[in-house]
Amino acid sequence: MSVLLLLAAQAMGSSPHLGKSAGRCRPAEDGSAFLVEIVGLKDRRGLLKLELYPDRDGDFLADDNVLLAAGKTFRRVEIPVPSSGPVEMCIRAPGPGRYAISILHDRDGDRRFALSNDGVGFAGNPKLGWSKPRANDASASVGSGLARIRIIMNYRRGLVSFGPIKD
């Protein structure tokens, strides 16, 4: 990929709609996909944004425009938080393999991550510090069908603590 194309992709900024058509699961559809159970939500408001990335540190949580311009994997599914009941989301993968997966609980629905307000979770449920987890720690594998995984949400607790909500 040329440097000019890469710079143009970065200048465009992230679009909340990129990767959605490729990420959405459809009824009776075959192929690789993750069915993600989301547990530990702080409340039932806002949006949930599930994203799938390459299982590589340099690509994990990278700008969606940059990934797509480089021909790399990026998928996104976004839904309003269900008002009750279990929460599951499905995201398609381009094929069997290992992928990094993140979920954002955008509590005010502004499509921006606010450390003091919003929640995050990752495949593999790594313990979180003040930096993003390594891609390998936030990844899961899928075969040619549906892989079920469980992600525990994490929220800021106090001044320096970040983790699941304590009961």
Side-chain angles (χ1 to χ4, degrees), residues 38-54:
I38 300 144
V39 296
L41 289 168
K42 190 172 195 173
D43 53 42
R44 296 294 184 125
R45 62 185 176 110
L47 301 170
L48 292 172
K49 181 171 62 172
L50 181 64
E51 295 180 334
L52 183 137
Y53 296 87

Side-chain angles (χ1 to χ4, degrees), residues 34 50-54 67 73-76 91-94 99-102:
F34 290 95
L50 181 64
E51 295 180 334
L52 183 137
Y53 296 87
L67 291 171
T73 299
F74 176 78
R75 307 281 167 95
R76 173 184 291 144
I91 192 163
R92 290 174 47 213
Y99 301 92
I101 299 173
S102 72

Side-chain angles (χ1 to χ4, degrees), residues 26 67 86 88 98 107 123 131 137 146 154 156-157 167:
R26 295 163 186 90
L67 291 171
E88 289 185 333
R98 190 164 172 82
R107 295 179 61 224
S131 61
D137 297 334
L146 191 64
N154 295 271
R156 186 169 173 192
R157 297 182 303 189
D167 290 333

Side-chain angles (χ1 to χ4, degrees), residues 41-48 79-84 104-109 116-119 155:
L41 289 168
K42 190 172 195 173
D43 53 42
R44 296 294 184 125
R45 62 185 176 110
L47 301 170
L48 292 172
I79 64 168
V81 177
S83 60
S84 63
L104 168 66
H105 180 193
D106 181 6
R107 295 179 61 224
D108 61 7
S116 62
N117 189 47
D118 297 331
Y155 298 87

Side-chain angles (χ1 to χ4, degrees), residues 18 26 40 60 105 108-109 111 129-130 141 143:
L18 284 179
R26 295 163 186 90
F60 179 45
H105 180 193
D108 61 7
R111 292 191 166 87
W130 283 106
S141 295

Side-chain angles (χ1 to χ4, degrees), residues 55-66:
D55 178 26
R56 185 177 168 277
D57 284 332
D59 295 329
F60 179 45
L61 300 177
D63 183 271
D64 47 12
N65 286 295
V66 173

